[in-house]
């Protein structure tokens, strides 16, 4: 997939960006350095506290398809660059890949009738912007780039689960904000809690 320009920001799939770029972004923030985008990727019976950060990072490296032995054939996210520097990350792939989202998350399903196992619906679950690059369009560029990325992967729809409250704790903002999704052309389809929305883009 070609890079997508957004005000001097380019966005490429993680396997094209390379593991060093992915790691540079996620290691820059305490929350992402702890999670490595694995909270919703846990297998049934696994506990988030049950394996160390090094294992979480190893799993993400495999999932991003970095070319190392055992790496996945595809990729599981996008990386944003500005001026040659990796400045943002987002996790996006078919919704069934997020086992934790299907089993325990309440927000995507409350008040909606959905086939949770439909692989043609993709989900955007996480955004990370490196310190010093916030409020400069990085996450909005990633949200917009997810559309072409999901469409190229065969998706018929793309969903996000953003926060709506401007006073949300910083650590809660990883799903993105409602405004950045709507600027990228997503429509709100439900408001399961006062602080959370479900947005969707038909492809």
């Amino acid at each position: 997939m070609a890079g997508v320009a957004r005000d001097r920001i380019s966005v490429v799939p993680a396997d094209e960006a390379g593991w060093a770029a992915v790691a540079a972004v996620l290691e820059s923030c305490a929350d992402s350095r702890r999670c490595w985008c694995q909270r919703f990727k846990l297998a049934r019976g696994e506990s988030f506290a049950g394996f160390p950060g090094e294992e979480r990072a190893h799993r993400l490296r495999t999932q991003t398809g970095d070319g190392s032995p055992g790496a996945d054939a595809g990729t599981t996210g996008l990386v944003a660059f500005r001026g040659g520097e990796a400045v943002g990350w987002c996790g996006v792939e078919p919704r069934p890949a997020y086992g934790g989202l299907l089993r325990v998350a309440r927000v995507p399903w409350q008040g909606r009738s959905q086939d949770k196992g439909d692989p043609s619906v993709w989900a955007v679950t996480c955004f990370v912007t490196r310190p010093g690059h916030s409020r400069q369009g990085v996450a909005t560029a990633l949200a917009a780039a997810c559309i072409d990325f999901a469409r190229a992967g065969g998706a018929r729809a793309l969903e996000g689960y953003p926060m709506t409250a401007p006073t949300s704790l910083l650590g809660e903002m990883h799903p993105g904000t409602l405004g950045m999704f709507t600027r990228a052309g997503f429509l709100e389809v439900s408001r399961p809690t006062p602080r959370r929305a479900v947005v969707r883009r038909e492809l």
Side-chain angles (χ1 to χ4, degrees), residues 21-89:
V22 175
V25 176
L26 271 70
E27 286 177 341
S28 70
C29 303
D31 289 330
S32 57
R33 189 166 59 244
R34 184 166 50 250
C35 182
W36 291 97
C37 227
Q38 296 303 297
R39 185 168 298 278
F40 291 131
K41 299 283 288 182
L42 298 179
R44 186 177 297 277
E46 284 189 318
S47 164
F48 186 75
F51 54 99
E54 293 82 0
E55 171 62 19
R56 297 172 198 159
H58 172 73
R59 291 190 184 194
L60 181 61
R61 184 169 186 170
T62 298
Q63 293 155 9
T64 53
D66 74 328
S68 62
D72 290 353
T75 194
T76 184
L78 301 174
V79 180
F81 289 86
R82 173 182 278 137
E85 180 183 11
V87 295
W89 154 268

Side-chain angles (χ1 to χ4, degrees), residues 6-24:
R6 293 287 188 277
D7 188 26
R8 298 178 291 110
I9 299 169
S10 62
V11 179
V12 299
D15 56 345
E16 295 180 22
W19 175 246
V22 175

